[in-house]
Amino acid sequence: GNSVTQMEGPVTLSEEAFLTINCTYTATGYPSLFWYVQYPGEGLQLLLKATKADDKGSNKGFEATYRKETTSFHLEKGSVQVSDSAVYFCALERSNYKLTFGKGTLLTVNP
Amino acid sequence: SAVISQKPSRDICQRGTSLTIQCQVDSQVTMMFWYRQQPGQSLTLIATANQGSEATYESGFVIDKFPISRPNLTFSTLTVSNMSPEDSSIYLCSVKGQGSTGELFFGEGSRLTVL
């Protein structure tokens, strides 16, 4: 079946630090992959996505590359800000917009 | 984009009772979904809400426990029936946006605590 394994949190960083949140998946075929973010008091928002192998999704300084050989989609940002504090969810699309999510990683960035 | 309003945002319920959660979207959407997030767990898809017909449930979820209505293209309800403490979760409404990218939009969720 389809599953997503995400780095356990919480993750606490200082401002301007480098961020990596690991995500690996198990799936049949090559599903689209997503990172969603949930800021405090808000709903989930799409952060970035990749639809095929070697695609790189990017948004707001965040990047993730679809790696077929390692079945991974790690989220990275070179310099985090306090405003990046949120919960980050890795997800894959099974079919017809139905998503399978990881457990989420809480990121706290301190000034 | 789509703006989704969910009600209630949170509630505390007694065992054995039922609660209905409403999801209102600011535009007509073709696909609506209901997810559950149990404490410390990932989001799990409950069902696809189909306009004018019965919802399509995922494995492990049944209509008697989670009846869903979708009378039009902007509104849906999820009822959690005969609640037990194991139903304490955040329930989220999600919709497919317009356009070719088909981005999914989520409501803020309804946090239910069952005592």
Side-chain angles (χ1 to χ4, degrees):
Chain A
N2 298 303
S3 66
V4 175
T5 302
Q6 196 175 329
M7 175 177 170
E8 294 282 333
V11 175
T12 302
L13 297 173
S14 297
E15 206 163 24
E16 299 184 3
F18 184 86
L19 168 71
T20 299
I21 301 178
N22 291 335
C23 172
T24 57
Y25 66 90
T26 302
T28 52
Y30 303 105
S32 294
L33 301 174
F34 305 84
W35 277 100
Y36 278 81
V37 58
Q38 186 172 31
Y39 299 104
E42 300 183 16
L44 272 75
Q45 304 171 23
L46 177 63
L47 179 60
L48 55 84
K49 72 175 185 180
T51 58
K52 60 183 186 297
D54 299 326
D55 264 3
K56 177 185 285 188
S58 61
N59 187 23
K60 300 182 180 180
F62 290 89
E63 294 183 339
T65 301
Y66 192 140
R67 301 288 188 196
K68 181 179 64 175
E69 60 277 9
T70 55
T71 61
S72 65
F73 194 54
H74 304 321
L75 183 67
E76 297 182 335
K77 186 174 185 181
S79 176
V80 293
Q81 306 300 312
V82 172
S83 57
D84 294 325
S85 298
V87 181
Y88 292 82
F89 293 89
C90 185
L92 64 81
E93 181 181 355
R94 291 184 274 139
S95 64
N96 293 334
Y97 304 99
K98 297 179 180 180
L99 301 182
T100 296
F101 285 87
K103 290 187 177 181
T105 301
L106 173 63
L107 170 66
T108 301
V109 180
N110 295 317
Chain B
S1 66
V3 177
I4 302 170
S5 301
Q6 275 189 240
K7 292 181 181 179
S9 57
R10 59 177 64 228
D11 207 339
I12 299 174
C13 308
Q14 297 299 316
R15 183 194 300 258
T17 63
S18 299
L19 183 80
T20 296
I21 303 167
Q22 299 180 1
C23 175
Q24 178 73 55
V25 190
D26 69 342
S27 59
Q28 293 186 339
V29 293
T30 53
M31 304 187 77
M32 296 181 75
F33 306 92
W34 285 98
Y35 282 84
R36 178 177 73 180
Q37 185 179 20
Q38 294 177 298
Q41 303 299 314
S42 62
L43 284 79
T44 302
L45 180 63
I46 297 172
T48 303
N50 300 310
Q51 194 262 328
S53 64
E54 191 171 287
T56 305
Y57 290 85
E58 298 297 306
S59 176
F61 297 96
V62 295
I63 187 171
D64 290 345
K65 177 66 176 177
F66 298 101
I68 290 170
S69 78
R70 189 174 173 197
N72 56 52
L73 294 177
T74 64
F75 185 78
S76 177
T77 67
L78 168 74
T79 299
V80 186
S81 302
N82 188 25
M83 286 185 285
S84 66
E86 292 70 36
D87 294 320
S88 297
S89 298
I90 300 173
Y91 293 86
L92 297 103
C93 175
S94 172
V95 304
K96 173 184 171 297
Q98 300 288 346
S100 60
T101 59
E103 177 180 345
L104 284 181
F105 296 91
F106 286 81
E108 293 182 21
S110 299
R111 181 184 294 271
L112 302 189
T113 301
V114 184
L115 303 178

